């Protein structure tokens, strides 16, 4: 299907640049008005005579909330050359004053009714659109009045004051610095190569620095009045209310809206025309690896949405899915020359058709990667796909259609609004899950190799080939073409035909364990069942998400008991436990076996425990528990998982060592813990000394430390869960219960530490840390310190971002351990221009110093607290919240009491309590300050 994302999203793989955003014509109506597809009957569509469109969709989750998007079909593509970046700059200005909200007041007002800036009040800009979002905490008349007043101000009543433009200019420039990266540089270069002189290659939404520095109010007035027009706007509303309740607000805010300037023609996109074989290379020493790709990009308008076109897309995607599976398997073979690969196709902007295959790996293997990509692509285009491959992908697709229908009733309003936005942006008809299944199920069932191959080949119809090698490999464009030609001369064989493999782990039907205690905690709706082998089962039935079940199988003491001579063992365990498959099945074989079933298993190595996690549906709960038991009792630790882990770790380590953010992850966690090996990222040599046998022995020891605790939350039948757990885990041998002591952690000595990173990116970071305490011993303290951190965060936003324009997204937070006694810290992080480091450090220290001396202002305290209070009801109605309550409650029974007083504690919190912790913890003499700056030079 067509895909969407904004300029905030990172580059995917080489030629995958900006998946298909379609620039729609103003006032063109809704897509279903021009299609043989009918929209979801629950959606309400409408338009005013002025051309503004609106759509509403009812959604019950979260309760009493409403999510709103105002989409303006105006983005960077509409800018003049001398205005590049103004669409994004204008989006920022929407928060800096309008007819009904003075500068600085908009965010403050919405905080008072329970909304957070950035989470509940936000916006983004892309090539063809600017989108403003509101996540309203309730649908009370007063809240709706203010919300629609604001949406109307966004649309046509912004103040655009010169003083605010000048102040926000620094924030935009800081955002430019924050977004600079290797991927960004490569992406811009690829845009120019692929789109040549077409308008997109010169219209990155973030803009141009020299333009941003000189934009003035008349420039903003021109863009705003020209392109913010009612016929270019769509209002999307999704939530727990009715259209009848919203209709008066919509009409009041938008029905009489007019344009502020004469209509202008939409700029021409431009054209490009690739011929023959063309190569492109871009070297950057800071890249974490090398990407090679083979692709085609054709100037072609995308067909209108229709039943026939959607069926074609499904057939094409199934072919790509098969090729992706082949690449996954090849990446795990001994001697593999790449670590990841992807096949893809899409329409960009409804204007250019893309198809490609991309591989990533070490720079010295770029030739082998290019040759392998060429042969695997040619094999697929020549021979197509085997019956077993087709059956696997069809099973996955058909199962996804069924599960979507099962879960339709409790879809989240934000997710639904996002789907509606994609529908409007990409000119696709918004179908219900049931309609989508009815359209595609029989078609998918009938698909064969001929139909899939025809669709796959159609995506590759072109009279040219584009070859790219980007990243940390030095390649020559002539050599790239030669390597490709030499590979094309090698004959390829048809894909091997394989037989379907059955799951080797039979159901457990006998020898079940016996429950020795079953109790119900009525006020929390929790059941606890103990089995005679020591296994504990926690159950919580919910109705938040239809057909969703979450599982957590917790054991051991996790990273807290990491051997001193094995730093990084927990990280390695997470990388190989699932990828290593089972004793009787490789990971790739297991994927094929489970195709068409909703079985998703993961593994975590937390500070306090190890855990297998699962997400499934009621129909597949038995199989999920069977697979989880197999992983628990017979993990594979296969060599291919270890090989891939080492390669990927090396890639990630290279990336971390070459960026300020990466150096932060490499150095700071261990530094704060006074060099404790259990924290942070191990060096590459230390990691490479670890083996699968080290993981095997460590995990085996943890299985015997204490009995397994299993928590199951969601749309469950309690008796069925008890029966299944009694068979699959109650029948296991009892743990030996050998629980070692956990060594304490010491916080680092105060003072300043400085690090440098070899990079061409002129951006550093400033971090300040104040030691606090742990979370478990006093939950009331932990909550108040957490609120104190949010107060600091808001002060950073107001002072560092809004007043002095010194950073784009300064941040503060609290990290109080639930594992290590008396270990925790409050931190502030600011990405900075290196020359501003001292100025920003002084500003941060002034903020926390004032809080410590004078306490928290009551008005500020309430603005921070109310959004937290408002979010609690939403958070408690998630399966994730209750899983957090249950997981570990055997070892830490206080967690149940925390759930009881969670809401009340935040409702009764006082500013005086928070002031107490500000005085205790925000001591400048105890601060650890970390400065990371770029080294001068060319980045080598």
């Amino acid at each position: 299907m067509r895909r969407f994302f904004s300029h905030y999203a990172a580059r995917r793989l080489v030629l995958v640049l900006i998946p298909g955003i379609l620039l729609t014509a103003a006032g063109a109506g809704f897509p279903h008005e021009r299609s043989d597809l009918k929209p979801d009957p629950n959606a309400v569509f409408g338009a005013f005579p002025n051309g503004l469109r609106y759509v509403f969709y009812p959604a019950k989750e979260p309760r009493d909330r409403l999510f709103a998007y105002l989409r303006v079909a105006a983005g960077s593509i509409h800018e003049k050359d001398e205005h590049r970046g103004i669409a994004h700059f204008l989006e920022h200005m929407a928060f800096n004053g309008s007819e009904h909200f003075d500068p600085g007041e908009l965010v403050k007002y919405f905080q008072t009714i329970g909304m957070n800036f950035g989470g509940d009040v936000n916006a983004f800009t892309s090539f063809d659109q600017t989108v403003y979002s509101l996540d309203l905490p309730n649908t009370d008349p007063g809240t709706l009045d203010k919300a629609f007043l604001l949406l109307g101000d966004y649309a046509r009543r912004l103040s655009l004051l010169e003083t605010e433009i000048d102040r926000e200019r620094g924030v935009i420039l800081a955002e430019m610095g924050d977004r600079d990266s290797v991927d960004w540089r490569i992406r811009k270069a690829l845009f120019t190569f692929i789109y040549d002189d077409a308008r997109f290659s010169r219209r990155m939404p973030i803009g141009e620095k020299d333009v941003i520095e000189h934009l003035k109010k008349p420039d903003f007035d021109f863009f705003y009045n020209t392109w913010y027009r009612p016929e270019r706007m769509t209002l999307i509303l999704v939530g727990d209310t009715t259209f009848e309740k919203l209709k008066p607000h919509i009409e009041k805010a938008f029905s009489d809206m007019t344009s502020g300037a004469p209509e202008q023609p939409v700029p021409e996109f431009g054209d490009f025309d690739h011929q023959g074989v063309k190569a492109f290379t871009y070297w950057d020493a800071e890249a974490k690896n090398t990407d090679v790709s083979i692709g085609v990009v054709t100037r072609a308008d995308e067909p209108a949405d229709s039943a026939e076109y959607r069926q074609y897309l499904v057939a094409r995607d199934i072919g790509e899915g098969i090729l992706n599976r082949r690449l996954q398997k090849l990446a795990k073979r001994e001697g593999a020359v790449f670590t990841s690969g992807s096949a893809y196709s899409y329409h960009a902007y409804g204007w250019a058709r893309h198809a490609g295959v991309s591989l990533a790996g070490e720079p010295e293997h770029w030739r082998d990667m290019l040759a392998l990509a060429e042969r695997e692509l040619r094999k697929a285009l020549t021979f197509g796909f085997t019956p077993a491959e087709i059956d696997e992908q069809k099973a996955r697709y058909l199962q996804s259609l069924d599960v979507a229908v099962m879960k339709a009733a409790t879809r989240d309003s934000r997710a639904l609004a996002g789907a509606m936005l994609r529908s409007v942006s990409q000119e696709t008809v918004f179908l219900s899950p049931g309609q989508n299944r009815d359209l595609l199920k029989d078609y998918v069932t009938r698909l064969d190799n001929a139909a899939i191959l025809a669709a796959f080949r159609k995506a590759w119809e072109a009279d040219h080939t584009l070859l790219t090698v980007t990243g940390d490999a030095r390649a020559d464009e002539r050599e790239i073409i030669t390597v490709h030609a030499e590979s094309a001369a090698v004959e390829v064989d048809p894909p091997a035909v394989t037989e379907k493999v059955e799951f080797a782990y039979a159901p457990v039907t006998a020898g079940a364990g016996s429950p020795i205690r079953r109790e119900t905690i009525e006020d929390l709706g929790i059941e606890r069942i103990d089995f005679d082998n020591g296994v504990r089962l926690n159950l919580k039935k919910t109705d938040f998400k239809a057909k969703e079940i979450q599982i957590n199988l917790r054991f051991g003491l996790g990273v807290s008991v990491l051997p001193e001579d094995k730093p990084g063992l927990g990280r390695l365990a997470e990388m190989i436990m699932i990828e290593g498959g089972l004793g009787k099945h490789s990971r790739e074989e297991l994927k094929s076996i489970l195709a068409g079933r909703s079985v998703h298993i993961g593994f975590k190595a937390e500070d306090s425990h190890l855990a297998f996690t699962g997400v499934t549906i009621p129909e597949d709960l038995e199989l999920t528990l069977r697979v989880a038991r197999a992983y628990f009792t017979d993990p594979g630790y296969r060599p291919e998982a270890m090989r891939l882990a080492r390669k990927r770790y090396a890639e990630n380590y290279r990336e971390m060592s070459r960026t300020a953010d990466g150096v932060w992850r490499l150095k700071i966690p261990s530094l704060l813990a006074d060099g404790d090996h259990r924290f942070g990222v191990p060096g590459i040599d230390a990691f490479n000394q670890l083996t699968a046998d080290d993981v095997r022995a460590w995990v085996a020891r943890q299985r015997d430390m204490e009995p397994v605790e299993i928590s199951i939350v969601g749309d469950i039948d309690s008796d069925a869960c008890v029966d299944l757990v009694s068979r699959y885990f109650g029948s296991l041998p009892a743990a030996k219960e050998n629980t070692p002591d956990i060594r304490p952690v010491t916080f680092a000595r105060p003072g300043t530490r400085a690090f440098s990173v070899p990079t061409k990116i002129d951006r550093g970071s400033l971090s300040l840390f104040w030691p606090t305490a742990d979370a478990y011993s006093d939950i009331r303290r932990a909550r108040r310190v957490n609120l104190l951190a949010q107060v600091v965060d808001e002060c950073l936003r107001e002072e560092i971002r809004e007043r002095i324009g010194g950073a784009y997204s300064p941040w503060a937070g609290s990290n109080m351990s639930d594992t290590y006694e008396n270990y925790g810290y409050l931190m502030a992080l600011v990405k900075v221009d290196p020359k501003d480091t001292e100025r920003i450090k002084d500003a941060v220290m002034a903020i926390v110093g004032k809080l410590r001396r004078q306490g928290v202002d009551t008005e500020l305290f309430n603005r921070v607290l109310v959004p937290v209070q408002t979010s609690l009801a939403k958070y408690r109605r998630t399966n994730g919240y209750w899983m957090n309550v249950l997981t570990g409650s055997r070892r830490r029974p206080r967690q149940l009491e925390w759930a009881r007083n969670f809401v009340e504690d935040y409702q009764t919190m006082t500013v005086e309590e928070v002031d107490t912790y500000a005085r205790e913890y925000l001591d400048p003499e105890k601060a650890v300050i970390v400065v990371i700056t770029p080294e001068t030079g060319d980045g080598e």
Side-chain angles (χ1 to χ4, degrees):
M1 295 300 169
R2 310 179 198 196
R3 305 177 182 98
F4 163 88
F5 77 151
S6 76
H7 80 280
Y8 293 114
R11 180 177 64 95
R12 184 180 158 201
L13 280 173
V14 190
L15 289 179
V16 184
L17 296 173
I18 299 283
I21 302 174
L22 179 66
L23 279 78
T24 58
F30 289 100
H32 61 262
E33 297 169 13
R34 301 177 296 280
S35 173
D36 59 353
L37 298 171
K38 302 303 179 185
D40 187 327
N42 290 313
V44 177
F45 297 89
F48 294 116
N50 60 12
L52 187 142
R53 299 180 296 172
Y54 58 85
V55 58
F56 166 74
Y57 198 92
K60 294 298 183 183
E61 293 293 341
R63 288 181 178 177
D64 303 321
R65 296 181 75 101
L66 178 71
F67 194 89
Y69 279 126
L70 175 65
R71 177 185 186 263
V72 184
S76 62
I77 203 71
H78 301 90
E79 299 164 348
K80 294 183 177 182
D81 283 348
E82 63 269 27
H83 290 164
R84 283 176 292 174
I86 200 170
H88 171 246
F89 202 149
L90 178 60
E91 170 221 310
H92 278 239
M93 291 303 300
F95 300 94
N96 293 328
S98 63
E99 182 177 322
H100 297 98
F101 296 90
D102 291 336
E105 293 303 312
L106 184 155
V107 174
K108 289 183 178 180
Y109 168 73
F110 281 96
Q111 286 174 330
T112 65
I113 64 170
M115 298 170 64
N116 272 315
F117 177 64
D120 302 322
V121 185
N122 211 334
F124 70 84
T125 305
S126 66
F127 287 90
D128 74 326
Q129 63 182 347
T130 305
V131 179
Y132 300 92
S133 63
L134 294 176
D135 190 350
L136 301 177
N138 59 66
T139 56
D140 296 341
T143 300
L144 293 178
D145 284 342
K146 281 288 189 179
F148 281 89
L149 192 67
L150 173 61
L151 292 171
D153 278 10
Y154 285 156
R156 290 297 314 132
R157 297 190 292 263
L158 296 183
S159 301
L160 303 176
L161 302 175
E162 193 75 64
T163 54
E164 293 299 308
I165 291 170
D166 289 338
R167 187 195 53 72
E168 192 68 21
R169 201 184 314 273
V171 177
I172 300 291
L173 294 173
E175 182 181 359
M176 279 185 162
D178 287 358
R179 299 201 182 284
D180 192 9
S181 67
V182 174
D183 282 351
W184 177 250
R185 295 195 291 263
I186 293 174
R187 180 180 166 201
K188 289 183 70 175
L190 281 166
F191 250 59
T192 302
F193 169 65
I194 292 169
Y195 293 132
D196 197 17
D197 289 329
R199 195 173 181 86
F200 293 107
S201 65
R202 307 186 306 277
R203 287 296 186 282
M204 292 297 177
I206 195 67
E208 299 294 331
K209 184 175 184 291
D210 58 340
V211 174
I212 297 300
E213 289 175 335
H214 296 98
L215 289 171
K216 299 296 184 183
K217 177 174 172 53
D219 303 319
F220 287 89
D221 289 338
F222 173 81
F223 189 89
Y224 185 54
N225 290 323
T226 299
W227 297 110
Y228 276 54
R229 319 173 60 82
E231 68 268 25
R232 303 194 70 82
M233 297 180 185
T234 305
L235 183 66
I236 297 169
L237 303 166
V238 181
D240 189 14
T241 186
T242 64
F243 179 70
E244 288 70 25
K245 185 174 180 179
L246 299 177
K247 185 177 180 181
H249 298 281
I250 301 172
E251 292 176 341
K252 181 179 178 181
F254 296 106
S255 63
D256 296 331
M257 184 176 294
T258 59
S259 302
E263 185 176 1
Q264 298 287 324
V266 175
E268 294 290 336
F269 301 171
D271 281 309
F272 61 90
D273 184 19
H274 295 295
Q275 298 290 332
V277 180
K278 297 173 67 174
F280 173 81
T281 182
Y282 186 99
W283 173 81
D284 197 309
E286 297 177 32
K288 76 172 185 178
N289 58 17
T290 292
D291 287 338
V292 305
S293 76
I294 304 171
V296 296
V297 185
T298 306
R299 172 68 186 90
D301 293 334
E302 185 167 17
D305 195 14
S306 66
E308 180 181 6
Y309 186 57
R310 290 208 181 192
Q311 289 172 346
Y312 155 74
L313 292 176
V314 170
R316 183 202 68 186
D317 288 350
I318 286 176
E320 288 173 6
I322 294 171
L323 182 50
N324 278 317
R325 288 285 287 122
R326 290 179 183 177
L327 295 176
Q328 289 172 6
K329 294 174 183 178
L330 288 171
K332 290 183 177 179
R333 286 188 180 177
E334 187 170 4
V337 296
F338 70 107
T339 56
S340 62
S342 175
Y344 50 84
S345 61
Y346 58 88
H347 249 88
Y349 325 109
W351 167 80
R353 189 179 68 221
H354 287 246
V357 175
S358 177
L359 303 181
E362 296 175 344
E364 60 268 27
H365 294 311
W366 74 262
R367 297 170 185 83
D368 295 327
M369 287 193 288
L370 183 59
L372 187 147
E374 188 280 328
R375 291 193 295 272
E376 288 301 318
L377 173 61
R378 184 154 45 95
K379 180 188 295 185
L381 289 169
T382 302
F383 300 109
F385 314 103
T386 69
E389 290 175 321
I390 293 171
D391 288 346
E392 178 181 330
Q393 291 301 316
K394 286 167 61 172
R396 285 197 173 93
Y397 199 91
L398 291 170
Q399 193 256 355
S400 71
L401 294 175
D402 288 336
V403 171
V405 173
M406 293 177 188
K407 297 185 174 184
T410 54
R411 287 175 291 173
D412 179 81
S413 60
R414 182 187 287 262
L416 271 168
M420 188 71 73
L421 176 63
R422 289 190 293 274
S423 171
V424 171
S425 303
Q426 300 167 17
E427 285 284 271
T428 59
V429 180
F430 186 80
L431 302 183
S432 71
Q435 289 174 308
N436 196 48
R437 183 175 65 177
D438 291 344
L439 172 66
L440 297 174
K441 186 169 185 176
D442 288 344
Y443 174 76
V444 172
T445 302
R446 297 193 306 270
L447 273 175
D448 57 14
N449 184 49
I452 297 170
L453 181 55
F456 186 74
R457 286 173 172 168
K458 185 174 182 180
W460 283 87
E461 288 177 351
D463 55 2
H464 67 272
T465 302
L466 303 182
L467 310 173
T468 71
V469 178
T470 60
D472 58 347
R474 291 190 181 273
D476 177 83
E477 291 173 359
R478 288 174 297 181
E479 186 181 7
I480 293 171
I481 293 174
T482 299
V483 169
H484 179 262
E486 290 174 349
S487 176
V490 177
E491 186 175 350
V492 293
D493 296 323
V497 176
T498 59
E499 298 296 328
K500 183 175 177 59
V501 177
E502 298 298 328
F503 193 37
Y505 297 84
V508 176
T509 58
S514 300
I516 58 174
R517 185 170 70 97
R518 183 170 181 172
E519 65 170 337
T520 300
I521 303 173
E522 296 288 351
D523 62 321
L524 297 177
I526 291 171
E527 286 190 82
R528 297 194 297 189
I529 299 93
D530 290 327
F531 295 90
D532 53 6
N533 65 345
V535 168
R536 157 73 60 85
L537 171 63
N538 305 312
L539 299 175
K540 170 69 177 179
K541 181 177 176 60
T542 70
D543 59 2
F544 315 144
K545 292 289 184 183
K547 296 292 185 174
E548 178 183 280
I549 297 176
Q550 294 187 12
I551 302 166
N552 185 289
L553 193 160
R554 172 191 166 118
F555 61 100
L557 297 181
V559 176
S560 67
V561 292
L562 195 69
E564 291 192 39
D565 60 341
K566 307 278 184 201
L569 194 58
R571 187 178 296 266
L572 177 61
E574 289 185 332
M575 296 177 76
I576 71 170
M577 181 61 73
I578 300 302
E579 286 298 327
L582 302 170
K584 299 178 182 178
H585 298 295
S586 70
R587 173 65 170 153
E588 297 309 316
E589 194 173 69
L590 192 57
K591 287 180 182 178
S592 298
I593 292 169
L594 298 177
R597 305 297 294 270
S598 188
V599 177
H600 308 282
I601 300 291
F603 180 80
K604 295 180 179 180
E606 305 283 9
D607 282 345
S608 60
H609 64 278
L610 304 181
F612 288 101
T613 61
V615 179
T616 187
I617 59 177
E619 290 79 356
D620 285 333
L621 177 59
E622 186 275 340
L623 181 57
T624 303
L625 290 173
R626 198 184 344 161
V627 175
R629 174 189 162 110
Y631 267 113
F632 185 72
T633 59
D634 189 29
Y637 300 112
R638 293 172 180 268
E640 60 263 28
M642 197 68 206
R643 289 194 298 267
L644 200 58
R646 284 186 172 140
K647 290 179 181 179
R648 288 179 174 171
Y649 190 83
E651 290 179 349
N652 292 332
Y653 194 87
R654 282 197 299 270
E655 181 181 38
M656 285 187 288
S657 66
R658 298 169 182 177
T659 65
D661 287 347
V663 170
W664 201 102
R665 296 195 299 272
L666 283 173
K667 303 290 187 180
I668 308 310
S670 176
L671 183 155
L672 294 175
D674 202 26
D676 195 310
H677 74 285
R678 293 171 292 183
F679 294 79
V681 179
I684 191 70
D685 291 338
F687 186 85
N688 284 337
Q689 290 176 11
L690 300 173
T691 68
D693 284 340
D694 292 330
V695 176
R696 186 196 308 271
W698 185 57
V699 172
R701 286 196 298 273
Q702 302 228 22
R703 281 202 297 261
D704 275 335
M705 286 180 181
E706 56 185 26
V708 174
E709 178 189 52
I710 300 171
S711 299
I712 304 179
V713 175
D715 189 359
I716 62 173
D717 177 285
S718 296
D719 290 338
C721 290
V722 173
D723 174 64
L724 289 171
V725 172
S726 71
R727 287 192 276 127
Y728 284 101
F729 294 95
S731 59
L732 295 176
K736 298 176 182 177
E737 299 197 49
N738 178 22
T739 305
D741 293 331
I742 297 175
R743 289 181 291 105
V745 180
T746 303
F747 196 78
R749 299 184 310 278
T752 300
R753 278 76 158 178
F755 299 94
S756 63
V757 55
T759 178
K760 289 176 282 190
I761 300 171
D762 190 23
R763 204 71 178 161
S765 72
L766 168 70
S767 305
L768 300 95
F769 305 88
W770 294 268
T772 56
D774 66 273
Y776 183 70
S777 61
D778 187 343
I779 192 64
R780 295 184 77 258
R781 173 182 60 194
R783 290 167 178 164
R784 282 148 183 81
V785 174
N786 178 64
L787 195 78
L788 173 61
Q790 294 185 60
V791 168
V792 175
D793 182 78
E794 177 64 7
C795 291
L796 293 177
R797 184 189 70 81
E798 292 181 335
E799 178 68 15
I800 306 299
R801 173 180 163 131
E802 302 297 340
R803 195 184 74 79
I804 67 176
Y808 170 58
S809 56
W811 176 84
S814 173
N815 183 359
M816 301 174 75
S817 176
D818 63 356
T819 305
Y820 304 106
E821 186 176 353
N822 202 36
Y823 184 73
Y825 51 84
L826 190 153
M827 68 169 289
L829 171 63
V830 188
K831 294 183 179 180
V832 295
D833 186 324
K835 66 179 180 292
D836 284 342
T837 300
E838 284 300 313
R839 179 173 72 105
I840 299 299
K841 183 188 75 172
D842 291 343
V844 175
M845 293 299 281
I847 287 170
V848 297
K850 182 179 179 181
L851 289 172
R852 188 170 187 246
R853 293 189 310 272
Q854 300 179 15
V856 179
D857 176 77
T858 301
E859 184 268 343
L860 171 61
F861 171 79
N862 288 326
R863 281 196 289 114
V864 172
L865 178 60
V866 173
V868 174
Q869 294 172 333
T870 303
S871 68
L872 297 184
K874 179 180 178 181
Y875 181 39
R876 282 173 64 89
R877 284 190 60 78
T878 65
N879 289 332
Y881 167 76
W882 288 104
M883 182 59 77
N884 287 336
V885 170
L886 294 182
T887 301
S889 60
R890 178 191 193 125
R891 185 174 179 82
R892 303 183 300 188
R894 261 183 278 178
Q895 289 179 185
L896 301 183
E897 188 58 36
W898 297 350
R900 291 189 175 97
N901 61 37
F902 188 38
V903 173
E904 180 185 1
D905 199 13
Y906 275 100
Q907 296 290 347
T908 58
M909 196 175 292
T910 67
V911 66
E912 291 78 14
E913 292 171 327
V914 175
D915 286 344
T916 298
Y917 295 112
R919 290 191 297 271
E920 180 177 356
Y921 293 132
L922 296 181
D923 184 347
E925 299 299 320
K926 295 181 180 179
V928 173
I929 302 172
V930 178
V931 178
I932 302 175
T933 55
E935 290 180 5
T936 57
D938 64 0
E940 299 205 45

